[in-house]
Amino acid sequence: MREITHQIITVIYLIGVCFSGVVFAKVDVELAGKLGGELTYAGAETKANANGEIPAYAGGLPEPPACFVAGKGLCNPFPDDKIKFTINQENVERYKDNLSLGQIAMIKKYDTFHINVYQTRRTAIHPEFVKLATKINATQANMADGGSGLQNFDAKGFPFPVPQNGLEVIWNHIVRYRGKSLRRLTGQAAPLSNGKYSIVLFEDQVAFSAFLGDTGQGDKDSN
């Protein structure tokens, strides 16, 4: 946990230095009013894209899928979905505009590396209190000390649901809603080109201060 904390602090410090001359403005009431309508509370457009491959946002997945068993981990809510197509060395040029440079490099370097593409689903959902805090943050939250901290920010929601720059996007990720408490064991590995790697294990146990003393009201996920 200490290693993660130091890494995050270092990243925030470096970002703050890079953006020290940037003015971070809150969005106006009209733009914030689009949250929950034209925009999701995470700032994404709710409408479908032009060709319909990305569907309109319809409120997410309001209830756990039938396969979910508490304490058993996550399960696939769409087990019947089939692979629409596969991106590999033979067709990577066709899809390169939709891939990162890293993905393209991996496909070109390894003939066994490929990406299976499935139907797009928009299942994300947040509790009502997260949405309320986010809407308030949109017109009130701002950065402090050149981007190294937050002010006028309700930690139950996203600070910048309509981000105006990359640093605001990063802050949204750092303080995103992850429940009232968190306990997880995770592993990270950075494989070398020869296939060798070392796994680093992390055990996190966090109680988020924003929810300490919370009455529990408004905890139910909403559509």
Side-chain angles (χ1 to χ4, degrees):
M1 185 64 184
R2 191 181 313 167
E3 289 184 31
I4 296 176
T5 303
H6 287 325
Q7 291 170 2
I8 292 175
I9 291 174
T10 301
V11 170
I12 294 174
Y13 172 77
L14 293 175
I15 292 170
V17 171
C18 294
F19 285 83
S20 58
V22 178
V23 176
F24 303 103
K26 301 176 283 290
V27 301
D28 58 38
V29 175
E30 182 179 356
L31 185 54
K34 295 182 178 181
L35 297 171
E38 295 179 37
L39 301 175
T40 70
Y41 285 86
E45 293 183 356
T46 54
K47 65 180 181 181
N49 68 341
N51 60 20
E53 291 180 348
I54 300 176
Y57 181 71
L61 195 64
E63 300 292 338
C67 61
F68 177 75
V69 178
K72 299 294 185 180
L74 301 179
C75 64
N76 181 7
F78 308 107
D80 297 327
D81 281 5
K82 307 299 182 182
I83 299 173
K84 296 183 68 174
F85 58 92
T86 298
I87 304 175
N88 52 34
Q89 289 184 346
E90 295 180 0
N91 60 10
V92 65
E93 291 298 320
R94 176 181 175 185
Y95 299 105
K96 65 180 182 180
D97 291 341
N98 299 105
L99 301 173
S100 69
L101 293 177
Q103 290 171 325
I104 295 172
M106 289 291 290
I107 290 173
K108 289 185 174 181
K109 185 175 179 63
Y110 302 103
D111 58 10
T112 58
F113 188 91
H114 62 274
I115 299 174
N116 292 329
V117 179
Y118 293 81
Q119 175 182 347
T120 299
R121 303 281 190 175
R122 302 184 71 176
T123 58
I125 191 169
H126 292 95
E128 198 63 37
F129 62 80
V130 173
K131 299 176 182 179
L132 177 61
T134 296
K135 200 155 191 172
I136 295 173
N137 285 338
T139 58
Q140 295 186 7
N142 62 292
M143 296 196 193
D145 302 325
S148 61
L150 298 174
Q151 293 178 329
N152 305 317
F153 161 58
D154 187 334
K156 292 187 180 70
F158 293 99
F160 307 109
V162 190
Q164 305 298 299
N165 54 65
L167 184 53
E168 292 185 354
V169 173
I170 292 174
W171 268 115
N172 283 341
H173 175 74
I174 292 174
V175 299
R176 68 193 184 280
Y177 173 71
R178 282 170 279 189
K180 296 183 178 182
S181 62
L182 171 68
R183 184 177 185 273
R184 63 186 179 185
L185 178 64
T186 60
Q188 295 180 0
L192 301 177
S193 59
N194 61 8
K196 294 183 178 181
Y197 60 90
S198 296
I199 295 179
V200 179
L201 297 177
F202 299 90
E203 182 176 7
D204 300 339
Q205 297 187 53
V206 182
F208 294 100
S209 60
F211 298 101
L212 295 180
D214 183 63
T215 61
Q217 296 179 351
D219 288 355
K220 185 178 180 180
D221 288 347
S222 66
N223 297 331

